[in-house]
Amino acid sequence: MEMRRQVDGINGGASAAVYPHKADKLEINTALPIDEDEKDDDDSCGWNRIVQIEPTMSIHLKFQDVRYTVAAAARGAEKCILQGVRGSVCPGEVLALMGPSGGGKTTLLNLLSGRAKINQGTITYNDNPYNKSLKQRIGFVLQDDIVFPHLTVKETLTYAALLRLPKTLSTEQKKERALSVICELGLERCQNTIIGGALIRGISGGERKRVCIGNEILLNPSLLFLDEPTSGLDSTTALRIVQMLHNIAKAGKTVVTTIHQPSSRLFITFDKLILLGNGCSLYSGKASEAMLYFSSIGCSPLIAMNPAEFLIDLANGNIKDKSFPSDIDTKSVPGNQHSEPSPSDVHEYLVGAYESRSEDMENWRLLNPIVIEENVEQVGATWCEQFSVLLRRGFKERRHEYFSSLRITQVIITALIAGLLWWPSDNVQSPNKVADQAGLLFFISVFWAYFPLFTAIFTFPQERAMLVKERSVNMYKLSAYLVARSISDIPLDLFLPVIFLTIVYFMVRLKMTVPAFSLTLLTVFLSIIAAQGLGLAIGAAFMDAKKATTFASIVTMTNMLCGGFFIQEVRASTGWLRYISINYNTHRLLLNIQYSCSEPISRSVVCDSSFIKNQKLGSGQTEVGYLLAMIISYRILAYLLLRGINYKCTTF
């Protein structure tokens, strides 16, 4: 059977059909190619091109007697999170996992999606166990909206498409696929609006959630898992999200979502429902039949009540304003016929009732096994393509921070203050002025070592959630990410020191030659890149902003004290610290540039000063070598530390 999916967009009502044969190709008709600089193309959802991506394989998900335990606080003890949960969901259906907080919804979702391994029980996909090839057919939308706030909707989905879609597609086709997803999710009007965040105004919460869903459906997954996609949204927006999930399911996909306490309008839209309480199944079946089931076991509301609210109350053991069987009345307090049953009594009764009737509620259909081939693998972008996309994405995301008026003002004011403090006297070449100018050079080496360092240490702690999310689906190689991250920072980090040095250099009237100014600028650049690598390594080591800042302050003080300005003679046991000090090597290079004694006529007075003689300045090649070694070694260290992160973790 071969049928073609037609995408009309959410607002216009998507019409779709199931196409189960794995050899078919999914054809998405898309409009004009995306131009990243195009600003007004909200109406570009006409279809005149065809993009072929991995077809949807209809997958029937079944799970039975699923149990999951974790180590408890007490030594040797275990805490049971899930206890014998069962259920099933077919292609074209939306299954809702509902229950109170701590009921095991997210844990079950992680087990079903393969992000965690079960301790006991069976989970099958078309009657086959989980295998690695399924990873490419599964989409997982996290509860938290992890997106870059400064990128637009189109940029976010386009970069994801360029990284994740198979390399058999051209760049133009990948961009067209991103546009088709934008149209499918009804994001045309906001596609050129930045995502925004807590402090940045952007798109709405519902639109942000749709962008996160769009990131996952780019690959046309067969199974789509969502962790509380309606959390924090109003009832109307939540309803639109769930309606969108139904449209996705109608295209042949299997959708499983967790939900806490939906509105009554939202509740009746789900095809199937699993109610969890304390890790146990209290109901599993059609959502429309849930109230009838609980009424049949003697539990029903005495007042008008949202069905979801009623079910959550039962899962919590709260039976106020509800009728319940008389045979659990007397279990709490022996001898008291009118005592209200405890939550544990209610839970025990509901679990028992479910176990006795579970076979009647759940119809376990056996499908003819459809083998999911182990060698099916979707290969995304090449390393060079990953690097190129990540480089552009990184520059666009962080340019707002680096070029902010606050940072520019900070640097300019600092430069003006330094220029005024070191304003030259009539006799600049006096030996008495050498130490003063050396102090300025030391200040430059300190400022432009630790200004970028304390910016870089926040990189990985702040991007950890995004890094784990994208690496968990193999969106790109870690080496491509780190190289692109480092290189995209270089032009951003070098913009401000040019302004700073231009102001200070000519105000103080340092060595007024083009080679001297150029070499000073180059030395500061080397210092910045080395400090940036050190900051990345510290951030990768701790992955916590507070801990990284504390450790960085210790490193800063150590480097400063070993910089060769405060103390000239050090013990042999601690002398090695100088050579790994960014300040020491940068300061010596700056002194060498300003007070080179290769010009004895013009600078003989300076060269004869005791301060310069004590420095024992050489050619500067050694200091350059040390800085280059630090630039490379710190980034290698950051890479090794990042490799140690568990990218399969499900919480951040």
Side-chain angles (χ1 to χ4, degrees):
M1 182 179 67
E2 180 177 354
M3 302 182 70
R4 181 172 295 182
R5 174 185 173 190
Q6 300 174 346
V7 182
D8 296 320
I10 294 301
N11 295 336
S15 62
V18 178
Y19 33 87
H21 198 281
K22 65 180 179 179
D24 297 339
K25 285 292 182 182
L26 176 63
E27 298 180 350
I28 302 293
N29 292 329
T30 60
L32 300 174
I34 293 178
D35 184 355
E36 292 183 12
D37 298 324
E38 199 171 336
K39 296 300 180 184
D40 188 14
D41 51 359
D42 293 345
D43 298 325
S44 58
C45 288
W47 315 106
N48 59 12
R49 293 203 180 187
I50 292 178
V51 177
Q52 291 185 334
I53 60 175
E54 190 71 16
T56 294
M57 173 187 288
S58 298
I59 294 181
H60 183 194
L61 173 64
K62 297 190 295 185
F63 48 100
Q64 192 168 16
D65 195 29
V66 174
R67 300 176 185 273
Y68 188 75
T69 58
V70 295
R75 181 176 298 179
E78 289 186 340
K79 180 181 179 180
C80 191
I81 307 297
L82 295 173
Q83 305 178 51
V85 180
R86 66 181 66 176
S88 70
V89 57
C90 300
E93 293 181 336
V94 178
L95 168 65
L97 307 178
M98 196 171 72
S101 300
K105 304 186 299 296
T106 301
T107 300
L108 179 58
L109 197 72
N110 290 330
L111 294 173
L112 297 179
S113 63
R115 293 164 66 91
K117 294 183 179 180
I118 59 174
N119 300 129
Q120 185 179 336
T122 58
I123 301 175
T124 60
Y125 312 81
N126 288 344
D127 293 335
N128 292 292
Y130 181 87
N131 59 61
K132 291 183 179 180
S133 64
L134 270 171
K135 190 173 184 179
Q136 299 293 342
R137 300 187 181 275
I138 291 177
F140 195 102
V141 181
L142 299 167
Q143 180 178 356
D144 297 326
D145 300 332
I146 303 175
V147 284
F148 288 109
H150 290 103
L151 297 181
T152 66
V153 171
K154 183 198 293 185
E155 288 171 344
T156 299
L157 293 177
T158 299
Y159 287 137
L162 293 173
L163 289 169
R164 300 189 68 182
L165 291 179
K167 60 183 179 182
T168 54
L169 298 179
S170 67
T171 300
E172 205 62 41
Q173 288 176 316
K174 293 179 180 181
K175 291 180 179 180
E176 290 171 356
R177 172 57 181 161
L179 179 58
S180 73
V181 170
I182 288 174
C183 299
E184 185 177 351
L185 301 182
L187 295 169
E188 304 95 332
R189 294 184 179 180
C190 64
Q191 61 179 320
N192 291 313
T193 305
I194 63 171
I195 302 293
L199 303 176
I200 306 169
R201 186 170 183 176
I203 60 178
S204 67
E207 290 168 337
R208 187 181 298 112
K209 181 60 68 177
R210 279 184 276 168
V211 171
C212 294
I213 295 174
N215 266 321
E216 297 304 318
I217 67 173
L218 278 168
L219 287 175
N220 192 35
S222 301
L223 289 167
L224 181 61
F225 297 91
L226 305 99
D227 191 6
E228 302 213 17
T230 61
S231 177
L233 304 178
D234 61 83
S235 59
T236 302
T237 305
L239 182 61
R240 289 175 181 170
I241 293 292
V242 174
Q243 287 173 341
M244 183 188 67
L245 296 181
H246 278 281
N247 290 331
I248 292 173
K250 288 177 183 177
K253 297 174 177 59
T254 303
V255 179
V256 182
T257 178
T258 62
I259 197 157
H260 183 61
Q261 190 166 321
S263 65
S264 55
R265 288 191 304 167
L266 203 61
F267 178 80
I268 62 175
T269 62
F270 294 115
D271 299 308
K272 287 188 175 180
L273 172 73
I274 292 180
L275 179 65
L276 297 174
N278 295 328
C280 299
S281 293
L282 305 182
Y283 176 78
S284 178
K286 295 181 179 180
S288 58
E289 298 176 358
M291 295 300 291
L292 292 175
Y293 162 74
F294 283 102
S295 178
S296 70
I297 63 173
C299 299
S300 57
L302 298 176
I303 60 175
M305 186 177 293
N306 177 358
E309 183 181 356
F310 169 73
L311 297 179
I312 293 295
D313 279 353
L314 287 182
N316 279 316
N318 177 15
I319 57 173
K320 184 179 180 181
D321 298 325
K322 304 169 188 67
S323 64
F324 54 91
S326 58
D327 58 348
I328 63 171
D329 257 350
T330 59
K331 296 177 73 173
S332 297
V333 182
N336 187 349
Q337 299 296 321
H338 300 287
S339 65
E340 188 174 286
S342 67
S344 59
D345 293 331
V346 175
H347 176 76
E348 183 179 346
Y349 172 76
L350 294 176
V351 171
Y354 169 77
E355 290 294 336
S356 63
R357 301 195 184 190
S358 60
E359 293 183 0
D360 297 330
M361 292 190 321
E362 186 66 32
N363 181 22
W364 290 87
R365 293 189 304 155
L366 292 177
L367 299 180
N368 293 325
I370 302 176
V371 178
I372 304 173
E373 298 177 8
E374 291 277 357
N375 59 354
V376 174
E377 184 179 359
Q378 245 180 350
V379 181
T382 62
W383 192 96
C384 292
E385 291 172 338
Q386 292 173 7
F387 166 76
S388 176
V389 173
L390 292 171
L391 184 66
R392 283 180 285 146
R393 188 183 75 172
F395 184 81
K396 282 193 174 183
E397 169 59 25
R398 292 187 293 278
R399 63 183 177 182
H400 305 277
E401 176 186 353
Y402 280 84
F403 297 152
S404 67
S405 57
L406 187 63
R407 289 172 66 96
I408 295 174
T409 303
Q410 177 188 9
V411 169
I412 291 176
I413 291 177
T414 304
L416 291 173
I417 292 174
L420 291 173
L421 288 175
W422 273 278
W423 190 269
S425 63
D426 294 335
N427 190 5
V428 179
Q429 299 304 328
S430 170
N432 296 330
K433 294 296 181 181
V434 174
D436 288 343
Q437 282 196 356
L440 171 64
L441 298 177
F442 186 74
F443 168 74
I444 293 174
S445 70
V446 170
F447 185 77
W448 287 111
Y450 301 112
F451 189 76
L453 185 149
F454 279 95
T455 300
I457 60 174
F458 295 104
T459 297
F460 298 135
Q462 289 178 346
E463 292 187 7
R464 181 174 187 261
M466 178 66 73
L467 182 61
V468 172
K469 171 192 170 185
E470 294 180 339
R471 286 283 298 140
S472 65
V473 295
N474 296 326
M475 185 179 289
Y476 46 73
K477 292 186 177 296
L478 183 60
S479 57
Y481 166 78
L482 185 59
V483 174
R485 185 65 173 81
S486 299
I487 294 180
S488 65
D489 279 342
I490 291 176
L492 299 174
D493 275 330
L494 301 186
F495 171 72
L496 293 178
V498 171
I499 298 176
F500 179 90
L501 282 177
T502 302
I503 296 173
V504 171
Y505 201 92
F506 295 101
M507 284 186 69
V508 179
R509 292 198 313 193
L510 294 173
K511 191 174 182 180
M512 302 300 291
T513 64
V514 174
F517 178 77
S518 302
L519 289 173
T520 300
L521 199 59
L522 179 60
T523 300
V524 172
F525 286 176
L526 288 175
S527 173
I528 289 173
I529 299 173
Q532 183 193 83
L534 178 58
L536 293 175
I538 294 174
F542 292 95
M543 280 298 180
D544 180 88
K546 291 184 178 180
K547 293 179 180 178
T549 303
T550 302
F551 183 79
S553 64
I554 299 174
V555 173
T556 300
M557 295 301 298
T558 304
N559 275 264
M560 190 183 302
L561 294 174
C562 296
F565 182 77
F566 297 109
I567 182 171
Q568 301 295 320
E569 298 293 335
V570 294
R571 295 179 180 178
S573 58
T574 57
W576 61 272
L577 290 172
R578 286 187 165 187
Y579 301 105
I580 61 172
S581 168
I582 298 174
N583 291 148
Y584 178 76
N585 292 285
T586 304
H587 186 221
R588 286 180 63 83
L589 282 174
L590 293 176
L591 289 173
N592 205 322
I593 294 168
Q594 294 299 317
Y595 306 122
S596 173
C597 293
S598 61
E599 305 171 8
I601 298 176
S602 61
R603 305 184 68 83
S604 59
V605 176
V606 175
C607 293
D608 290 338
S609 66
S610 59
F611 180 83
I612 295 300
K613 288 182 177 180
N614 290 336
Q615 294 296 323
K616 299 178 182 178
L617 300 175
S619 63
Q621 294 180 359
T622 303
E623 288 79 7
V624 171
Y626 280 126
L627 287 175
L628 291 175
M630 284 186 275
I631 289 173
I632 297 172
S633 60
Y634 285 145
R635 281 166 174 78
I636 293 176
L637 177 60
Y639 173 77
L640 296 175
L641 291 169
L642 287 176
R643 282 185 62 88
I645 297 176
N646 179 16
Y647 293 107
K648 295 182 180 180
C649 63
T650 57
T651 57
F652 306 106

